[in-house]
Amino acid sequence: MKLGLVGLGRMGSNMRERLRDRGHDAVGYDPNPEVSDVASLEALVEVLPAPRAVWVMVPAGQPTREVIGQLSHLLSPGDLVVDGGNSRFTDDHVHAALLAEHGIHYVDCGVSGGVWGRQNGYALMAGGDETDITRLLPVFDALRPDGERADSFVHAGGVGAGHYAKMVHNGIEYGLMQAYAEGYELLAAEESIQDVPAVLRAWSQGTVVRSWLLDLLVQALSEDPALSSISGYTEDSGEGRWTVEEAIAHAVPAPVISAALFARFASRQDDSPAMKAVSALRQQFGGHAIRRAAPAGIA
Amino acid sequence: MKLGLVGLGRMGSNMRERLRDRGHDAVGYDPNPEVSDVASLEALVEVLPAPRAVWVMVPAGQPTREVIGQLSHLLSPGDLVVDGGNSRFTDDHVHAALLAEHGIHYVDCGVSGGVWGRQNGYALMAGGDETDITRLLPVFDALRPDGERADSFVHAGGVGAGHYAKMVHNGIEYGLMQAYAEGYELLAAEESIQDVPAVLRAWSQGTVVRSWLLDLLVQALSEDPALSSISGYTEDSGEGRWTVEEAIAHAVPAPVISAALFARFASRQDDSPAMKAVSALRQQFGGHAIRRAAPAGIA
Amino acid sequence: MKLGLVGLGRMGSNMRERLRDRGHDAVGYDPNPEVSDVASLEALVEVLPAPRAVWVMVPAGQPTREVIGQLSHLLSPGDLVVDGGNSRFTDDHVHAALLAEHGIHYVDCGVSGGVWGRQNGYALMAGGDETDITRLLPVFDALRPDGERADSFVHAGGVGAGHYAKMVHNGIEYGLMQAYAEGYELLAAEESIQDVPAVLRAWSQGTVVRSWLLDLLVQALSEDPALSSISGYTEDSGEGRWTVEEAIAHAVPAPVISAALFARFASRQDDSPAMKAVSALRQQFGGHAIRRAAPAGIA
Amino acid sequence: MKLGLVGLGRMGSNMRERLRDRGHDAVGYDPNPEVSDVASLEALVEVLPAPRAVWVMVPAGQPTREVIGQLSHLLSPGDLVVDGGNSRFTDDHVHAALLAEHGIHYVDCGVSGGVWGRQNGYALMAGGDETDITRLLPVFDALRPDGERADSFVHAGGVGAGHYAKMVHNGIEYGLMQAYAEGYELLAAEESIQDVPAVLRAWSQGTVVRSWLLDLLVQALSEDPALSSISGYTEDSGEGRWTVEEAIAHAVPAPVISAALFARFASRQDDSPAMKAVSALRQQFGGHAIRRAAPAGIA
């Protein structure tokens, strides 16, 4: 089918290619003319046959809000917008309500797969009305991996449920990565282990911990066996935070996911104010030696 | 090759079958005559050609200690004992020293794969001398999954390193399981998610969190969609505790693995003494209502 | 000074008494006529001399919002409202803006001390404009413990800063309580400790861990040495959740406060969905025995 | 009474002074002749009247083991040794057994109070036989704060129970410090809080979180309001580790104490190997930008 695609960054342009490979007429718009198929959002809307379907693939928050605001004026009743970015599920309700004022339908869709999705297919978690989801099934089927639809696609519920499912997916991802990372650090600290990358590689088949993330860690260690070129400074991109916030809102204990999130926060601190306080306390009550902070200007 | 196998429980008997399927002459001894190939440990030793290789597959701790003690008297210099159970790596040094007094060699081998190993093959992490490991390679190759040896086998280091690697594997396993479990609980608590098992199944392909453990969770949920037949009471079998102890010994932060371990401890408490103390404190300072404990005899 | 007090629950009525003891003319209104000094909120406003000061001491959320909404219509420009309840600091900005439309000033004030405050005095954390804070100093001085003002009172910042400081206070409180509780549980689990309450009491003087909370725990244990009459079911009242949310918003690692919060969540679960998932996984991969959930109707 | 004191570091010499102030004849031995009252351990034993009492106050582990080994040869049946250091409770059983071979009695005593104990008194947790404890009561009474004995002294149980109680005390201490530290960091990160030290000081009286540790933090902040002279690098001295190990041994959940311990471990890492692994994984699956590690030689 003919589909508009807004946002041609790494994810968007890969998805355009995959859709075209599978016979869909994906027309992309991006402010960057080097990658864009059309000159403007208006032009994109014009080339699409009504009822139109436009898949938005831009960063969550303000960028997505802006595109959806513009589309609310450009599209017509009966058209359909999909937000395939990493929006917070709470934004979906705002977007859906705004578009509904203009008779425009809305579907949110969490997309997983990263840079590998172009080749392997993307897993998709969609939220919205049954009829809108059904209308998009050919697109979903083209984007997802081959095989049974239920193994890589779910209509998770009403508007917002797709991003909710994707948010939880990413929260789990934080916990999984941290579990492997703690095990890696312990192996690396133990002198009796002669070849840490070889141990992790030996878990690739037959073990309980085998997974795609493990394969990626084996790959990373094959390129850099002690990860000496990589800093531990680690960003977080929202979903981990939202998952813990939702756990709190639902009174669900989430010690593992929150620990993984806090480890990222800590990784970005040059020094920990909290640990300065602990160190100060130890000095106060025990006369324990403290380490002086380095003078400014000296690392 | 001809190999003695001591202990024919679920793991041992499955391994005997896999070895036989792949052309090895595995002779098993178990105190249970219904599964044993020979009448006694002495008889097992007698039927093996020198230099003998005996693989011990009995529960860690006292049972393994006893078998190895007996073998130290029955075997001859140049023979080789493999401990394939879930022994703590510190036991390996004791076992190796005891056997070395009699000129008997020792290899420790962590075995992963559970009930699926019979069919899929077992991942193997071995510790010991290079020559002993080399001698056992045909056995390792038969037990492990087909494919590249390095994907399911590692000679991790000297005596103890195999069980050390297996211990860390299991520690990671605790963290992975808990991460999925927290995500599952959050999805189940969120009313907008219409079909929790369907969401987890949709992560089977293409996602970052796809793994064998996820496949198993999908399988479990297909059998019992709300896990209503299963209690949350969860045992732990040693490796998780040892992993945290080793993390402490090496000053390695392990918030995720320890959180997963503590969640198991908590799952086995009818009521938490710690939370009684917190509840008592809230009553003391705030006059907050507390919940009275149920009288004895009433659940 | 003459002060209106809205809300005469445990906290409000205690504060009224303390204010009167210290020479202030505190007039209280409560919907319950048995404790109220006046018949209505209107009547309260009428008896106060302009510029009026009204201290609101009702539950956070909807009840506080309603009272402040009513006061916005009843009070006059130049009057002053204090919210002394446990409101989220984000509510303060809403309340201040609403009242400002009517020329009414607003101060938020976190109050700590619980049922002991009547006698010991309340610690106070205030947010608002300097002139409004200054106007209220006689009230603050009457409510707080005797001694240096800075030991129990702070003007923490603009509107919202008082409740923010109180929120963090309560978050810390969660962590402190859980630390004592974990230690208590460990002592109670160790057979060599003959008299757990005696050990905790011996920490009352001279130790690093001495505190008011410890005194309260000693008191609770003197009344019920094994806390056998108290259930571990523990409520949480908002500030702990908000503290973790703020930690997330500021990328501040908060493993201890979040662990304390999650322990409360877990204390209220009959069974843990997460641990059901872990237990199901262990059964899937290892054939580990699981505990069947009790049939419905049997605890 | 006349008492021998071995080890005149900060703690030992302070305790000697306090004992002398309160009328006891404390004779100290230390390898450092500038602080020692006698020339040798032999000389110390000679000046004490039988049955002797010798209080050992040297670092835990090898130093304590050595002194106790020497005393086992120098003392006589009926003499009594007290280990007042921070030994692991498992060492007490070894020490007691060694001394018992020579008919020498043994008491372990956890001592809390740090550099403030000289003036305020030390809290004491003792383990051993009732008759040995009774014999030492005059010494305990001199060392502990004035007031009721039960508020600062406990005979916790048999040999080892004193150090066990002290170990748990210190584990709790870790948790308390971390709770204050997290709250401090959050206040410092929140721009609406104008004066963080003033907020903490305002909690000194009347609040639920008031404690001696809070007083010390207020003191530290009065000297250095942003703790800018102090590094977050924080040592740990054993008891925190042992507490978590005991929690594991007793299947007691200890999320708060372990989180506090792990935060210290992390504070001492220049970079986190675990977070390098997480960062490497993010790069692998998402093409997320990573931060390159600084080249060697450049901080």
Side-chain angles (χ1 to χ4, degrees), chain B residues 271-286:
Chain B
D271 201 354
S272 157
M275 297 316 294
K276 283 169 172 269
V278 172
S279 196
L281 278 170
R282 293 184 82 237
Q283 184 187 34
Q284 288 286 331
F285 70 70

Side-chain angles (χ1 to χ4, degrees), chain A residues 81-237:
Chain A
V81 170
V82 184
D83 176 10
N86 273 324
S87 298
R88 201 179 195 282
F89 70 99
T90 43
D91 287 352
D92 292 318
H93 302 292
V94 179
H95 296 159
L98 172 68
L99 294 168
E101 290 174 20
H102 301 82
I104 305 166
H105 300 220
Y106 180 81
V107 163
D108 59 286
C109 185
V111 177
S112 181
V115 293
W116 297 81
R118 166 76 186 81
Q119 174 185 334
N120 296 349
Y122 303 90
L124 306 167
M125 295 139 260
D129 286 346
E130 188 68 42
T131 49
D132 295 329
I133 300 291
T134 302
R135 185 170 154 199
L136 290 164
L137 274 182
V139 174
F140 294 142
D141 282 342
L143 288 172
R144 66 174 181 79
D146 299 327
E148 293 223 28
R149 182 185 287 156
D151 286 341
S152 56
F153 172 80
V154 67
H155 177 197
V159 164
H163 279 136
Y164 201 97
K166 177 58 163 43
M167 173 195 79
V168 176
H169 165 282
N170 282 37
I172 291 171
E173 179 189 303
Y174 277 55
L176 302 180
M177 289 166 78
Q178 196 70 25
Y180 286 115
E182 290 180 11
Y184 163 75
E185 178 168 339
L186 181 51
L187 286 175
E190 166 61 22
E191 59 286 350
S192 79
I193 300 296
Q194 289 175 346
D195 184 344
V196 173
V199 171
L200 273 85
R201 183 169 169 198
W203 295 343
S204 302
Q205 292 188 24
T207 67
V208 175
V209 304
R210 66 187 189 262
S211 72
W212 190 59
L213 277 169
L214 177 66
D215 294 343
L216 295 180
L217 186 52
V218 169
Q219 177 62 29
L221 289 167
S222 77
E223 297 165 5
D224 182 356
L227 302 179
S228 50
S229 70
I230 295 174
S231 154
Y233 183 104
T234 310
E235 296 284 359
D236 74 286
S237 53

Side-chain angles (χ1 to χ4, degrees), chain A residues 10 233-235, chain D residues 279 282-283 286-292:
Chain A
R10 195 174 42 214
Y233 183 104
T234 310
E235 296 284 359
Chain D
S279 195
R282 293 183 82 237
Q283 185 187 33
H288 294 286
I290 54 158
R291 189 171 282 201
R292 292 270 140 206

Side-chain angles (χ1 to χ4, degrees), chain A residues 185 230-231 269 274 276 291, chain D residues 185 230-231 269 274 276 291:
Chain A
E185 178 168 339
I230 295 174
S231 154
Q269 298 185 318
K276 283 169 172 270
R291 189 172 280 202
Chain D
E185 180 169 338
I230 294 174
S231 153
Q269 298 185 319
K276 283 168 172 273
R291 189 171 282 201

Side-chain angles (χ1 to χ4, degrees), chain B residues 280-281 283-284 290 292, chain C residues 116 197 215-230:
Chain B
L281 278 170
Q283 184 187 34
Q284 288 286 331
I290 53 159
R292 293 270 139 205
Chain C
W116 298 81
D215 294 343
L216 294 180
L217 186 53
V218 169
Q219 177 62 29
L221 289 166
S222 77
E223 296 165 6
D224 182 356
L227 303 178
S228 49
S229 70
I230 295 174

Side-chain angles (χ1 to χ4, degrees), chain A residues 6 41 54 56 58 62-72:
Chain A
V6 180
L41 206 51
V54 179
V56 180
V58 302
Q62 192 54 29
T64 296
R65 262 194 296 281
E66 277 179 22
V67 168
I68 287 179
Q70 291 171 292
L71 289 172
S72 73

